[in-house]
Amino acid sequence: MEVQLSETAQGALDRDCPVLVLGGPGSGKTTLSLLKAQAMLHVLQPGQEILFLSFSRAAVRQVEIRCRDILRSNERRQIVVRTYHAFAMDILRAHGRLLTGRVPRIVYPGDENLAKAAFDGDWGAEVERLARDEGRYVFGQFAAAAAQLVAGSSSIAALLANKYPVIILDEFQDTDDAQWALVKALSARSKTVFMADPDQRIFDYDARVDPERINHLRDHLGPAEFDLSGENHRSPDAGILQYANAVLMNRPLPDTKDVITRAYWANAFDSTVHAGVIWMLSSLRKAGIAHPSVVVLARTNALIGKLSTILGQEHSFNGQTIRPVEHDVLWDADLTAAAALVVASILEWQSYPKEAALGQTFDRIADYFDAKNAANASNTARQTSERYRTAADRARKGEMQRLKSAKALTASYDSGLVLQGDPAQDWLHARDLLGAGNDLSDLLANAKFVRLFRATDEIGSRLASAWDLHGSYGRAVGLVRRALEVGRLQADQRDPRGCVLMTIHKAKGKEFDGVLLVEGQYQGNFFRDTDTEVQRAAARRLLRVGITRARHQVAIIRPQGAPALVTPAGAPVLA
């Protein structure tokens, strides 16, 4: 593939390492880094590889796609693309015994969340104790342990440098303290290329991600710097990047046909969003894109769940009926997985006695609130978990329930749950039983992320096979758990096509033909009246990330009277 480079990009390509490449979305950082890797392949010895590190599987997937575009097959075999976590875990598994004298064991996120929820004390201190005394490591410790190994052992450092004499680091501005320690240890022996965009810092809520990270790099290595911020290869003929930068900098918005805004009245929210998706898909097809990819983005999981429900229903817009839109949802998996297991436990009711069946369902509900408490510590979640553990014990003893929702679910069991062998319909029937009480409304919302619209869906096919073999869903919990694990691994490997829903944070590192940014009337607000200047700046960076996911078209859907996207001096404060 022939790539035309600007003078600045060519300078970065020709310069010896360490090199820092700065630039916004679509500026060509990834392409340049792969060309630089290609230029250094000839110095590799047999068995050596160039290591490319990024943050998410989705970002890794995008790099792999670019590798196919730029590199020949024999060249691709000499470049390894990994996430920071996966690379650090490899180091830990191979050499972690040197830290404690024990073979290291991995505590996966789901297990960590449950352990954290059940632990009464300083979880950070407990995590350190688990590693030190038991050789058990949670995901957040991988980088710190790997850094300790590389910095503390010249043999391990030399082994890695010999294997990976060149390391490319993507999205460097988002490295946390432990990852930075690992990078410093690796950079002592390997050549390094850093890619960063200071305006894409969207993890300010994590105290370990220092906003001064790029300055730390400058002080430590003094890399040659090359700024590609004026370049745009993702949407070169569109005004998308200029619009996004205006939002970021709070400057007057440019007039561009590539970004449109629509305001809705509260009673027209559902139909406006639905019509916006239909319009976007149609517009992109008319522009010559046969199979367009469209992403619907919002700030919160709750709003994404609502949008998924909206797109799954018929609506009327300007006198026309709009049919449901087939779509995928990329979700924050832990809570959805916990909610899905509650639904699966209800599908098992026909296979077990009342005491065992209800006991399991109430335990799965308690697990959900444990996971919720672990994700965001809450006395309400912890207390709700305890109440459902008590409900599970009462169910197994055949005692009367006291919780309203537990009573309602018990009554549903007693009335007889009728399943038909249609996984999609049976799933919805079981799921809707969770609407029995207000305390389960959040659980029900998360359960709606699991899509069973297609017969080929992983969960649907597993449940259908179980029904065909046994005439029941007797092992639904195990089947659903395994299907969700497969889904997590595959979700970021799919090339985006059709309509996909996700939070803006989840979209980082991905690209789509069209983007719809949706702000709810009362949830998922872009800005809040109580925002500090720091919070408002973080919200602008997040909006820029969302807008710049688009290659061709952006639509921003907001409530009437919402605060204006930009408020330069003298501008009105309402949209």
Side-chain angles (χ1 to χ4, degrees):
M1 176 182 176
E2 187 70 23
V3 179
Q4 297 294 323
L5 296 179
S6 67
E7 182 177 346
T8 302
Q10 188 64 51
L13 181 62
D14 296 338
R15 187 65 176 261
D16 195 14
C17 297
V19 167
L20 169 61
V21 180
L22 300 171
S27 60
K29 299 189 299 294
T30 301
T31 296
L32 175 59
S33 66
L34 292 176
L35 290 173
K36 195 161 185 67
Q38 184 183 47
M40 292 187 282
L41 287 174
H42 71 278
V43 303
L44 297 183
Q45 300 297 317
Q48 290 185 328
E49 296 169 323
I50 292 176
L51 176 64
F52 194 116
L53 292 179
S54 194
F55 275 91
S56 67
R57 290 192 298 270
V60 165
R61 175 65 172 161
Q62 290 298 322
V63 173
E64 290 171 342
I65 291 171
R66 295 300 293 147
C67 282
R68 292 202 300 268
D69 293 338
I70 295 170
L71 306 175
R72 295 184 291 271
S73 60
N74 63 311
E75 293 174 330
R76 293 197 297 271
R77 286 193 290 270
Q78 294 178 277
I79 297 179
V80 176
V81 187
R82 307 296 303 279
T83 65
Y84 281 87
H85 269 106
F87 176 64
M89 184 168 64
D90 287 346
I91 296 174
L92 180 60
R93 280 177 162 162
H95 308 290
R97 194 166 191 164
L98 296 176
L99 295 174
T100 63
R102 297 180 175 87
V103 175
R105 291 183 292 161
I106 304 303
V107 181
Y108 289 95
D111 295 330
E112 180 191 359
N113 285 341
L114 293 177
K116 179 180 177 182
F119 184 76
D120 186 15
D122 184 341
W123 180 247
E126 173 65 6
V127 161
E128 293 179 0
R129 187 200 67 78
L130 288 173
R132 181 184 64 251
D133 298 343
E134 300 180 23
R136 298 171 62 201
Y137 297 86
V138 302
F139 269 38
Q141 285 190 304
F142 290 177
Q148 186 179 351
L149 287 164
V150 177
S153 170
S154 59
S155 297
I156 295 174
L159 184 68
L160 290 170
N162 184 61
K163 179 66 175 178
Y164 306 113
V166 178
I167 301 176
I168 300 170
L169 302 112
D170 191 20
E171 302 284 6
F172 178 73
Q173 75 279 352
D174 288 329
T175 50
D176 64 26
D177 295 336
Q179 291 161 344
W180 171 227
L182 176 60
V183 169
K184 285 192 291 185
L186 294 169
S187 66
R189 296 172 183 255
S190 296
K191 293 187 174 183
T192 46
V193 179
F194 300 87
M195 296 180 291
D197 178 3
D199 294 326
Q200 282 208 80
R201 289 188 296 106
I202 60 174
F203 298 105
D204 301 277
Y205 56 83
D206 189 339
R208 299 168 302 174
V209 180
D210 196 316
E212 293 297 311
R213 187 69 69 216
I214 294 175
N215 286 332
H216 297 165
L217 170 64
R218 290 171 174 141
D219 293 341
H220 184 71
L221 286 180
E225 292 189 34
F226 299 86
D227 191 347
L228 306 181
S229 58
E231 303 184 25
N232 177 20
H233 303 282
R234 179 174 299 169
S235 51
D237 299 321
I240 293 171
L241 183 58
Q242 292 89 335
Y243 193 99
N245 285 338
V247 171
L248 173 70
M249 303 303 296
N250 197 27
R251 296 196 301 253
L253 297 171
D255 184 13
T256 172
K257 62 180 177 57
D258 305 308
V259 183
I260 66 169
T261 59
R262 291 289 181 269
Y264 64 84
W265 297 106
N267 61 356
F269 175 69
D270 295 10
S271 58
T272 301
V273 170
H274 198 160
V277 173
I278 296 294
W279 171 84
M280 179 73 76
L281 289 166
S282 175
S283 176
L284 292 168
R285 290 189 185 105
K286 288 178 181 177
I289 303 171
H291 302 289
S293 59
V294 169
V295 67
V296 182
L297 299 177
R299 288 198 65 170
T300 66
N301 284 307
L303 183 52
I304 288 296
K306 181 176 181 179
L307 294 172
S308 179
T309 300
I310 289 170
L311 294 182
Q313 301 170 342
E314 283 191 356
H315 291 96
S316 177
F317 186 80
N318 289 342
Q320 294 186 339
T321 299
I322 312 174
R323 297 182 63 80
V325 176
E326 187 172 326
H327 62 279
D328 281 335
V329 179
L330 298 190
W331 61 86
D332 289 337
D334 289 343
L335 285 180
T336 298
L341 295 182
V342 175
V343 180
S345 74
I346 295 174
L347 291 177
E348 291 189 1
W349 279 2
Q350 291 183 339
S351 302
Y352 297 100
K354 177 180 177 179
E355 293 79 6
L358 290 173
Q360 177 183 225
T361 293
F362 296 145
D363 270 336
R364 297 294 78 76
I365 293 174
D367 288 346
Y368 171 85
F369 285 101
D370 282 345
K372 185 176 177 65
N373 182 52
N376 187 14
S378 159
N379 285 333
T380 300
R382 180 188 288 265
Q383 291 166 1
T384 305
S385 170
E386 291 172 354
R387 287 197 291 268
Y388 276 98
R389 293 290 181 209
T390 300
D393 289 341
R394 297 182 70 86
R396 292 189 177 96
K397 295 175 182 177
E399 298 175 354
M400 293 289 292
Q401 294 295 337
R402 296 174 180 172
L403 291 175
K404 178 182 177 181
S405 296
K407 289 179 180 179
L409 288 169
T410 301
S412 295
Y413 184 97
D414 290 339
S415 64
L417 178 64
V418 178
L419 303 176
Q420 304 293 334
D422 179 336
Q425 292 304 313
D426 291 342
W427 180 275
L428 294 176
H429 184 31
R431 188 193 72 190
D432 290 346
L433 295 181
L434 297 172
N438 290 334
D439 62 334
L440 298 183
S441 59
D442 183 75
L443 190 158
L444 178 58
N446 272 287
K448 290 180 179 179
F449 280 107
V450 182
R451 311 307 297 171
L452 285 171
F453 287 152
R454 297 179 298 280
T456 56
D457 175 87
E458 185 69 25
I459 293 176
S461 62
R462 287 174 183 257
L463 292 176
S465 296
W467 185 276
D468 290 343
L469 286 172
H470 307 292
S472 71
Y473 302 117
R475 297 182 179 178
V477 171
L479 294 175
V480 170
R481 181 181 284 113
R482 288 191 291 274
L484 286 172
E485 289 171 353
V486 171
R488 290 187 194 187
L489 292 174
Q490 293 178 344
D492 287 334
Q493 301 299 319
R494 295 195 301 267
D495 292 331
R497 181 172 292 186
C499 183
V500 187
L501 279 62
M502 67 186 78
T503 62
I504 304 175
H505 278 92
K506 198 80 172 174
K508 190 174 183 184
K510 299 179 174 67
E511 297 180 20
F512 301 85
D513 295 314
V515 167
L516 272 84
L517 272 168
V518 180
E519 179 177 9
Q521 183 81 38
Y522 304 110
Q523 57 186 167
N525 301 116
F526 293 167
F527 306 115
R528 295 178 299 241
D529 293 337
T530 57
D531 281 346
T532 64
E533 286 299 318
V534 171
Q535 291 171 325
R536 188 62 60 97
R540 293 187 180 284
R541 286 197 298 273
L542 187 62
L543 286 173
R544 179 179 184 261
V545 168
I547 293 168
T548 55
R549 297 311 91 200
R551 287 187 284 262
H552 303 288
Q553 186 73 59
V554 176
I556 303 175
I557 299 176
R558 310 190 68 203
Q560 290 280 356
L565 286 177
V566 297
T567 54
V573 297
L574 296 180

